[in-house]
Amino acid sequence: MNTDPVRTRSGPADFAAQVPPRPRTSWAGWLGLLLVLGLAFQTRLGVVDQMLPSRPESDTHILFQYRVYAGQLAREDAPPHYGFYPTFVARTLQRVWGNSPFQPAPVAASTAQHLRAAAAPLVSLRAWIALAGVAAVAGLFFLTRVMQDTRAGLVASLCLATSLLHTMYSHEARPHGSHLPFVIWALFLLLRQIERPSYGRILATAVVAWMGMSTLQTGVFLLPPLAYAAAMQRARWTKRVFALLALGPAFVLSRMFYSGGIRIDSSGIYLAPSGHPIPFGELNGQGIRPTLQYLWGCEPVLLVLGVAGALWALGRLLPVLRQLRSVRSVQAAVLCAYGLPYLLFSLLNQETRDRYLLPLLPFLAMCAAFGLAQVYARLVRRSRPLAEGVCALALVVPLADAAKFYSLGRAPDTLELAARFLEQQPDSATARIVTSPHAVIPLRYTASALLAHVGTGLAEGSPWVAYQLRVGAPPAGQPAFDLQAFDANLLAQEPDLQRLYERLQAMRPTYVVLETSLRQRAFASHRAFETIVRAKAERVALINPEGLDPGDEELFEYGDSTRLRSRLWNSSALGPPLEIYRWNGP
């Protein structure tokens, strides 16, 4: 008689019975979650107006898309980058806001009121993205609690709430921050679907995954875990087929929000008709360096704890993943089906940017929570105060980083400081103020200054200039300033110093405001402009928030900085470095 055990496939009832009992979350746990969400809410919603309306983020595509769907802008007049990202967020906001939700302030209103009215569209859009960021923090608590426990869920959600990278992109008018909560909640629903499959849970998972795929091109990374879970879940064959069939409509319906869709040919992957190509030659493994640089420069504590926790968890998961017999093993494999392909893509892609790494943050946070739990379990045997102190110390640094970012976001930026300086000058009412191209000072413009901006790039590209052209100059008796941007012909490769000087002299400036950021200094003509101003004018104010000569990176407050954390702590204000000169004439 054969006494070897007979291996049988677990039935639906047996598989559901394997779900480990989940301890009830105490009132203290729910209170902790409320505190974490309150922190996330304040650090995101509290800075949605930073640097607006003078200096918005560089690619506010969602706002252009909204204006098209609201009938405010013809599709053919939209900028070329209109189709960079899916239109799901823009179309949803158009349904919520309507077509004309933002009205200008009365002409006689104060400058502060006009600034708020000019910033309102972007502030409102950022607020929605910030709320999505808070939803991501909440979702990570529930996702982590499924795999671990309430305490781990609180730690993981706190790690995401204090993440500099997540905080920064949770109040920008880009789709990356709004995409992450759909990923987290889709994975959470998927794990619950595995525990007890039902048509309702399968449908809910598919709907949230559809939203994720409709928000950003990288939403397609949700397809592998969805397909894997459908194949591996222990349920009646009708439910498994339903779960597999739900993938098709979710993917196909998400394509309605793409202006061109995804195209793959021999040269590469094209995620949008007007941009975002990924040539196969760029998937060469050179993404390892930027991935590590961005994570180390933004999230050093989370990176160390996350990697350590992942290695710790790997030792426990490998034996379980080889068999895939239990609910937890299948759930862990589902999470890996999303996280590992996305990590591989980031490491291969030499053009990896910091915002591309947002979907990896929940996994680092969950692993960090697991690692801290292991450290606490070992240290508590020696000393409970020591164990609590070590774990608290690990979370203090990210909390301090989040507080610093929040405080800078609430403080006046460099453009506001320049406006205050100019307002205080005794000749400000009659002075002509010439600025670097694209440098916008948050002051009311005179009628002649507005006339000089008609037909320029700032007339459409700057929310503040475009708003003032719409409402007109302030009435007599209210402060107005003769602000004009210098046309330095930034595309000139070999600028003519004499011609630039004659052009500047013809403008008859009283003050010149130089922006010495990388965005300006990247052009030879602006470097020549700086040379002329320094030779012919006297510097009367220096507003350099980082206290150093501009480095080789753009402003850190809108991302793409490999030294975000160090630059944050070295900075006294957000905004570009500025120098103000009094023009001395010939």
Side-chain angles (χ1 to χ4, degrees), residues 440-459:
V440 177
I441 307 298
L443 294 170
R444 294 294 302 275
Y445 287 25
T446 62
S448 60
L450 289 177
L451 184 61
H453 282 87
V454 174
T456 65
L458 289 177

Side-chain angles (χ1 to χ4, degrees), residues 61 64-66 68-69 75 78-85 87 259 274:
H61 308 309
F64 285 112
Q65 293 172 342
Y66 164 77
V68 169
Y69 284 101
R75 174 65 181 88
H81 54 251
Y82 167 85
F84 269 23
Y85 297 114
T87 59
S259 57
S274 55

Side-chain angles (χ1 to χ4, degrees), residues 105-453:
V107 176
S110 66
T111 299
Q113 289 174 309
H114 281 289
L115 286 169
R116 285 194 294 270
L122 268 175
V123 168
S124 300
L125 175 54
R126 286 181 175 185
W128 280 93
I129 305 297
L131 289 174
V134 177
V137 174
L140 184 57
F141 167 80
F142 291 102
L143 177 64
T144 307
R145 194 178 63 149
V146 170
M147 298 301 295
Q148 300 181 54
D149 55 26
T150 297
R151 182 179 297 179
L154 289 174
V155 172
S157 60
L158 181 61
C159 288
L160 188 61
T162 57
S163 162
L164 278 181
L165 197 57
H166 187 254
T167 301
M168 182 168 54
Y169 285 106
S170 290
H171 66 270
E172 288 191 24
R174 308 187 195 190
H176 304 82
S178 61
H179 170 67
L180 186 59
F182 294 123
V183 171
I184 293 175
W185 282 100
L187 292 176
F188 165 73
L189 291 172
L190 196 55
L191 298 191
R192 296 303 302 271
Q193 173 189 321
I194 291 170
E195 292 179 351
R196 290 181 176 85
S198 69
Y199 292 110
R201 287 185 174 182
I202 293 171
L203 184 60
T205 303
V207 169
V208 176
W210 163 72
M211 293 179 179
M213 289 185 280
S214 301
T215 308
L216 199 62
Q217 289 90 339
T218 51
V220 296
F221 282 94
L222 284 169
L223 291 176
L226 288 169
Y228 182 81
M232 293 298 296
Q233 66 186 5
R234 307 299 193 261
R236 293 187 178 91
W237 69 270
T238 53
K239 293 180 180 178
R240 297 174 63 194
V241 171
F242 181 70
L244 285 171
L245 293 178
L247 297 179
F251 176 78
V252 172
L253 292 177
S254 70
R255 300 302 98 186
M256 72 172 67
F257 300 102
Y258 289 74
S259 57
I262 298 175
R263 177 170 61 88
I264 303 177
D265 59 25
S266 59
S267 61
I269 306 171
Y270 297 84
L271 300 180
S274 55
H276 282 289
I278 304 177
F280 289 128
E282 292 182 357
L283 301 177
N284 51 20
Q286 295 187 28
I288 298 175
R289 181 176 180 180
T291 296
L292 293 178
Q293 283 181 328
Y294 282 127
L295 290 176
W296 179 253
C298 299
E299 318 287 350
V301 174
L302 182 58
L303 177 62
V304 171
L305 291 178
V307 171
L311 294 176
W312 216 321
L314 191 62
R316 293 191 177 187
L317 282 177
L318 280 179
V320 177
L321 290 176
R322 287 173 184 160
Q323 298 181 4
L324 293 177
R325 292 181 180 177
S326 67
V327 171
R328 284 289 178 265
S329 63
V330 175
Q331 289 175 326
V334 165
L335 293 179
C336 291
Y338 177 88
L340 292 181
Y342 197 95
L343 175 62
L344 180 63
F345 171 75
S346 301
L347 297 178
L348 289 176
N349 185 10
Q350 70 179 35
E351 296 298 324
T352 289
R353 296 289 183 266
D354 58 352
R355 56 189 174 274
Y356 302 172
L357 304 177
L358 286 178
L360 297 179
L361 295 182
F363 294 89
L364 282 174
M366 285 191 289
C367 291
F370 179 80
L372 277 178
Q374 302 306 309
V375 170
Y376 180 86
R378 282 157 176 76
L379 291 180
V380 77
R381 300 169 186 168
R382 301 181 181 181
S383 169
R384 186 183 184 89
L386 175 64
E388 294 176 346
V390 169
C391 293
L393 184 63
L395 299 174
V396 164
V397 174
L399 277 169
D401 292 344
K404 175 67 173 178
F405 192 91
Y406 175 77
S407 65
L408 285 184
R410 298 291 297 171
D413 60 61
T414 58
L415 294 166
E416 291 175 307
L417 296 175
R420 292 181 183 180
F421 175 85
L422 293 169
E423 284 179 310
Q424 295 168 0
Q425 302 311 300
D427 56 350
S428 61
T430 59
R432 169 164 288 178
I433 305 165
V434 176
T435 68
S436 292
H438 310 300
V440 177
I441 307 298
L443 294 170
R444 294 294 302 275
Y445 287 25
T446 62
S448 60
L450 289 177
L451 184 61
H453 282 87

